[in-house]
Amino acid sequence: FKKKDLEKTPQKVDIRIKLDGSRVAEFVQNQCEPRVQEAVDATIHRENGTFVITPSQTGLTVDQNATIKTLNEALAQGLEEPVMIDAAVTVSEPKVTEEMLGTIQDVLGTCSTSFSSSGAARSKNLKVGSGKINGTVLLPGETLSGYGAMAPFTLENGYASAGAYENGRVVDSVGGGVCQIATTLYDASLYAELEITQRQNHSMSVSYVKPSMDAAIAGTYKDIKVTNPYDTPIYIEAGTSGKTLTFTIYGKETRPANRTIQYVSETLSVTDPGETVVQDASLAPGARVRVQAGHKGIRSRLWKCVYIDGVEQEKTLLYTDTYNASKAIYHVGPAAPAPAPAETTTPETTQVEPTPDQGPKGPGEIGPDSQNPAAG
């Protein structure tokens, strides 16, 4: 449906299904809404370095409560024949307008992290997950949830199985690696000075950023949420190139040109992880194989430093984090058999005539002792 068409002729949806009163809400949600599309707002995207607007495909949304009410009223009449009702639809105004383009031009903050050591599955997850956030527009006061934008973490949603932290170990999980997306978004948001509405650190330290510069996603209890604190919209660009993940946040720069910010990671303590050794009869005798790297326990904190003309004006403590130590795990084979004792003989004694000391004969070798004719 197009908005202009709706204004001329009301649109109707013809749906026929046997229905009882207990399923009305489920029916409206599962049947009406997919047929009358939820409004697909006009969106902003970058094309050859310039922001442009993609026109809205539809301006229609289903008023579920009003539709449920109408359907219940029809069912209450107890009619045996099929009932036809109109789904209650509303016309929404586009979220994005041409006027907004003039306010989304400046880079407010950016961050890149490397995944050079990642395999194909984890690399795929970073590409898929960041693509679901790319192009997000936040109006003043709006909040982005990283989990909400990227979930569900399923094969059907494009993700693959890759390594993730779970109970102090690295295990395979569908969507493994998306925490690096959360981290890169978090760091870009720090430099853009967005409001960090929710952020939690990983249970163990990560290699791609310094301590307290990371953000984790786990179920619904760990999430990265950022809110636009500005009076104008912001645009979030995200994606991978080669083995680098980058987030850039655009908006209207209002901060003074002589003002700069820096985030300082401070390590307070480090705990050695130790190791766990597991006997593995499938390995060769004497073999030792590391199956999981250890993680040092770390306690750290993050400072925000503000400078005017290079002189520090503010220093604010943002977070204090604890990362658990995790032992390295080694598998070892059976003990190697002891070497057989070497065969020994009693050498014959040969009498030699004394000769003058001729000095060293070579590395580690000493000439015969002239005072001991039997030496050698």
Side-chain angles (χ1 to χ4, degrees), residues 281-303:
S282 67
L283 295 178
R288 178 181 169 93
V289 179
R290 191 181 76 176
V291 297
Q292 180 173 302
H295 288 78
K296 295 179 179 179
I298 298 175
R299 184 167 172 78
S300 62
R301 58 189 180 188
L302 184 67
W303 297 90

Side-chain angles (χ1 to χ4, degrees), residues 125-345:
N125 291 341
L126 295 183
K127 181 178 180 179
V128 170
S130 61
K132 296 182 184 297
I133 297 178
N134 182 48
T136 298
V137 175
L138 294 182
L139 298 182
E142 285 191 334
T143 298
L144 166 68
S145 161
Y147 178 85
M150 293 188 289
F153 299 113
T154 62
L155 299 176
E156 293 75 16
N157 202 24
Y159 295 102
S161 183
Y165 288 164
E166 182 179 292
N167 298 324
R169 300 188 65 178
V170 178
V171 299
D172 278 344
S173 176
V174 177
V178 297
C179 284
Q180 186 166 349
I181 297 174
T183 293
T184 313
L185 168 61
Y186 165 60
D187 286 7
S189 299
L190 285 176
Y191 286 103
E193 295 189 88
L194 304 188
E195 178 185 345
I196 310 299
T197 311
Q198 181 180 350
R199 172 263 172 190
Q200 291 104 331
N201 63 293
H202 287 77
S203 59
M204 299 184 294
S205 61
V206 297
S207 61
Y208 43 84
V209 292
K210 295 179 180 179
S212 291
M213 293 291 289
D214 65 304
I217 286 182
T220 56
Y221 66 94
K222 282 189 176 184
D223 193 5
I224 178 65
K225 294 181 180 178
V226 297
T227 300
N228 177 9
Y230 297 105
D231 295 330
T232 53
I234 61 171
Y235 175 91
I236 301 176
E237 184 178 71
T240 61
S241 178
K243 287 286 189 174
T244 300
L245 169 67
T246 300
F247 271 76
T248 303
I249 299 174
Y250 295 87
K252 183 178 181 180
E253 183 62 86
T254 58
R255 296 169 293 184
N258 64 339
R259 178 183 178 275
T260 57
I261 54 175
Q262 183 179 5
Y263 293 92
V264 179
S265 167
E266 179 187 5
T267 298
L268 302 175
S269 64
V270 178
T271 304
D272 185 75
E275 64 180 44
T276 296
V277 177
V278 178
Q279 298 294 325
D280 188 341
S282 67
L283 295 178
R288 178 181 169 93
V289 179
R290 191 181 76 176
V291 297
Q292 180 173 302
H295 288 78
K296 295 179 179 179
I298 298 175
R299 184 167 172 78
S300 62
R301 58 189 180 188
L302 184 67
W303 297 90
K304 178 183 179 180
C305 301
V306 179
Y307 301 86
I308 302 295
D309 294 324
V311 179
E312 183 178 283
Q313 303 295 319
E314 302 173 27
K315 186 175 182 180
T316 306
L317 179 61
L318 299 183
Y319 298 100
T320 300
D321 299 316
T322 299
Y323 302 88
N324 299 327
S326 176
K327 293 183 178 181
I329 300 176
Y330 289 88
H331 284 195
V332 298
E343 183 178 355
T344 58
T345 58

